[in-house]
Amino acid sequence: MVVIAFNRQTASANRFAAEIISPEIPHCDDPTLHCYAICIPRKFFEERYRLYVPDIPVFNRKKFEICSDILKYMNMFAFEASKNMQNSDITLNANAELITHWIIRSILGESMDMRSISNDYSVAKAQHYMEHHFGEPITIKRLSELGFVSPSGLTHKFKAELGVSPIEYLIEIRIQRAKIMLQRKNMTVTEIANACGFSNSAYFSSCFQKRVGRTPTEYQRRYRTAQK
């Protein structure tokens, strides 16, 4: 069972705390906390997990972050299940596949790759460009030109739909990419800062600590210690 917890404070955030626990364990004893509990058949889950890595670890209350966009697909699943429409089994199976892969990728630290792209053309073009060019210098002017809108117009669209400015969205992409590099690659903090598009390591450390709660060096050290 995967439990995704959220409340009023995190409802507008783009990431939620998730945890894998046994279905027999009470999953929400806090009355102020709302959550989704997703029960996935073990065989189904393990078959999909092995598509990514050959060995499946023992998930002893495994905690991880998951992108809030998954809620769209879980709500879609719940809506489809409640309507009992013709061929709903086909769409429900398709949604089950998507949700399961989303969860697995999040467990493996790749949840940022699962974010939904906006239905708004200019926002989607900016999102797509930032995802692929996060390591390069990017300006709001360049992003607005891609979607044929003004810089102020693009900023308004981003804040209205995503709750953040385009540059704040870009920094979030860079931070999440940096976290993956800190976990997986033998790179210095300065090298990771450069690879993720930060002007210098001091600015990178400041942005990282503000959003993650610890410096890149502390994050790397704690992650490696937890893996031992």
Side-chain angles (χ1 to χ4, degrees):
M1 181 168 66
V2 178
V3 176
I4 301 174
F6 53 99
N7 53 33
R8 290 182 179 179
Q9 285 69 42
T10 60
S12 61
N14 65 354
R15 317 192 68 70
F16 292 130
E19 184 177 12
I20 301 177
I21 62 177
S22 169
E24 291 78 21
I25 297 176
H27 56 270
C28 191
D29 53 6
D30 184 347
T32 67
L33 193 66
H34 298 276
C35 66
Y36 265 110
I38 308 169
C39 293
I40 307 174
R42 178 173 178 173
K43 182 179 178 182
F44 181 89
F45 179 84
E46 290 185 348
E47 286 176 348
R48 275 70 183 171
Y49 198 93
R50 287 194 177 95
L51 295 174
Y52 294 85
V53 292
D55 299 320
I56 300 177
V58 176
F59 295 115
N60 184 17
R61 298 199 72 123
K62 167 72 174 179
K63 296 182 179 181
F64 57 98
E65 289 184 329
I66 195 164
C67 181
S68 62
D69 283 338
I70 194 175
L71 296 184
K72 299 176 184 178
Y73 295 95
M74 291 194 296
N75 289 334
M76 188 184 303
F77 185 97
F79 178 83
E80 184 76 5
S82 68
K83 291 297 181 181
N84 195 29
M85 297 173 67
Q86 186 177 9
N87 295 318
S88 61
D89 58 324
I90 297 174
T91 57
L92 287 172
N93 287 336
N95 258 330
E97 285 283 357
L98 178 60
I99 292 170
T100 301
H101 282 276
W102 195 308
I103 290 170
I104 292 171
R105 290 181 180 181
S106 298
I107 292 170
L108 298 174
E110 299 175 0
S111 60
M112 289 300 285
D113 294 332
M114 294 294 294
R115 287 177 300 176
S116 296
I117 294 298
S118 172
N119 291 325
D120 184 289
Y121 176 79
S122 57
V123 175
K125 287 290 290 185
Q127 286 179 300
H128 186 268
Y129 187 85
M130 287 187 280
E131 294 281 359
H132 288 81
H133 300 273
F134 63 90
E136 304 170 12
I138 297 177
T139 64
I140 184 66
K141 182 176 183 297
R142 173 57 178 153
L143 294 174
S144 62
E145 289 172 347
L146 293 170
F148 304 104
V149 293
S150 67
S152 60
L154 183 64
T155 298
H156 176 76
K157 287 173 178 285
F158 259 80
K159 288 187 174 180
E161 181 173 345
L162 304 174
V164 295
S165 70
I167 299 305
E168 290 170 331
Y169 185 89
L170 173 61
I171 292 176
E172 177 66 16
I173 292 175
R174 288 171 168 171
I175 292 297
Q176 295 305 320
R177 298 294 182 181
K179 288 170 69 175
I180 294 174
M181 292 182 185
L182 288 166
Q183 294 172 11
R184 298 183 177 180
K185 299 181 179 180
N186 186 21
M187 300 172 65
T188 66
V189 170
T190 299
E191 290 172 337
I192 292 174
N194 292 334
C196 291
F198 290 96
S199 56
N200 57 69
S201 57
Y203 178 57
F204 167 51
S205 295
S206 175
C207 291
F208 193 95
Q209 186 168 19
K210 179 180 178 180
R211 288 162 177 79
V212 181
R214 57 181 65 101
T215 67
T217 301
E218 291 170 342
Y219 178 86
Q220 189 176 57
R221 186 183 303 118
R222 297 186 81 174
Y223 179 82
R224 291 177 178 175
T225 300
Q227 296 302 107
K228 292 181 179 180

